[in-house]
Amino acid sequence: MKRRRELEMGSEIRSAIDELSMVVLKVKPAGGPEQHSTCAYIPTKPFLSVCNLLLQVLDKIGPTMAVLRQDVHQNIQRLEKFYESEPSVYSNVVEILSKEGKEGKAKKGPSCSKAFVWLTRSLDFTVTLLQLLVEDFGRDMEQAVDEAYNITLKPWHGWISSAAYKVALKLVPDIKDFITILMAEDENQDMLKEEMRTLISLFLPVLEGIRTILKTFGLDRLKCT
């Protein structure tokens, strides 16, 4: 109930900061996937909690992000289902990647490995967008969303996904409206900026660590088919 009340007050940024404080990664780049499953750690449940908060932010951007939101939601559900099948074993996302890799399933069909890749890229998009906005709350929202998309998602999207995005881009909200609905009830813009900077500073090392792990498992170059 407490989490629900916080989200209703527009405090997704604060909630994400709390969740990220629990996402403590252990990453050792050396070695192959077999070694990495024992020396790398990404806590599954906190990671999925952060991804669920991402859905709240995408909702605030509006219909433009409907396709991305659906994709994020489906990928969260896929990982959650796998995790819940044996929580004590799959409390580490790396164990999931390792299992699918050994079974030859990681890059085939709707795998959890693919879900993890796309959730990471969606988080990367969100962080990049926040970085662009925190520099200047007066900038054009449509341009910021487009720039973040081009940097993080477009290189991996096929022409169908890219075309759908370009149509939806016209529905991006005004920057002032977006900032207003993103703020908690007791916040002003300066406070929101500070929280955004805190969130970004927490996110960047997490994303960098995840990229290292994805590269080790040969998942970093996956594209939409």
Side-chain angles (χ1 to χ4, degrees):
M1 289 298 294
K2 181 181 178 182
R3 171 65 55 80
R4 184 174 296 176
R5 286 196 299 271
E6 287 177 349
L7 292 179
E8 286 173 352
M9 290 190 295
S11 56
E12 289 87 353
I13 299 294
R14 291 179 183 175
S15 297
I17 289 172
D18 291 340
E19 294 292 348
L20 273 173
S21 66
M22 295 188 291
V23 182
V24 180
L25 304 188
K26 182 173 73 173
V27 180
K28 293 182 180 178
E34 296 80 6
Q35 293 171 296
H36 226 64
S37 64
T38 59
C39 69
Y41 178 72
I42 305 171
T44 306
K45 201 165 184 179
F47 176 80
L48 291 174
S49 294
V50 172
C51 291
N52 274 307
L53 288 168
L54 167 61
L55 292 179
Q56 305 292 330
V57 175
L58 294 177
D59 282 341
K60 291 181 181 295
I61 297 177
T64 300
M65 294 293 105
V67 175
L68 178 59
R69 188 197 188 286
Q70 181 180 13
D71 184 57
V72 169
H73 181 64
Q74 291 174 344
N75 288 329
I76 289 173
Q77 287 185 315
R78 187 171 298 129
L79 273 171
E80 279 182 338
K81 184 177 181 180
F82 201 101
Y83 162 74
E84 289 169 358
S85 69
E86 202 167 353
S88 61
V89 175
Y90 301 125
S91 60
N92 179 6
V93 175
V94 179
E95 292 297 336
I96 300 175
L97 303 182
S98 180
K99 176 179 173 58
E100 289 192 339
K102 290 175 182 177
E103 295 175 350
K105 298 178 180 178
K107 300 178 184 180
K108 297 178 181 178
S111 67
C112 286
S113 297
K114 284 184 178 180
F116 182 63
V117 169
W118 284 104
L119 285 173
T120 300
R121 288 171 179 170
S122 298
L123 290 172
D124 199 11
F125 163 81
T126 304
V127 173
T128 301
L129 177 60
L130 292 179
Q131 284 179 302
L132 294 170
L133 295 179
V134 80
E135 293 171 2
D136 179 15
F137 273 2
R139 73 174 298 157
D140 183 79
M141 182 69 174
E142 183 177 329
Q143 289 180 356
V145 172
D146 191 43
E147 185 173 345
Y149 174 79
N150 288 336
I151 293 171
T152 60
L153 293 174
K154 186 177 180 179
W156 314 111
H157 274 174
W159 70 269
I160 295 177
S161 297
S162 293
Y165 163 79
K166 287 187 178 298
V167 172
L169 185 61
K170 304 302 179 183
L171 302 174
V172 168
D174 179 85
I175 181 64
K176 291 182 180 179
D177 293 336
F178 179 68
I179 295 302
T180 297
I181 59 179
L182 199 60
M183 285 192 296
E185 290 183 354
D186 60 345
E187 276 190 318
N188 56 39
Q189 287 194 6
D190 289 337
M191 293 168 65
L192 177 61
K193 276 190 175 184
E194 188 59 34
E195 289 186 347
M196 288 170 67
R197 291 190 180 101
T198 299
L199 180 62
I200 291 165
S201 69
L202 289 171
F203 248 126
L204 291 178
V206 170
L207 289 171
E208 187 59 34
I210 289 175
R211 290 189 196 101
T212 298
I213 292 171
L214 290 178
K215 187 173 183 179
T216 300
F217 282 91
L219 298 169
D220 57 315
R221 308 300 295 177
L222 283 179
K223 291 189 176 184
C224 282
T225 53

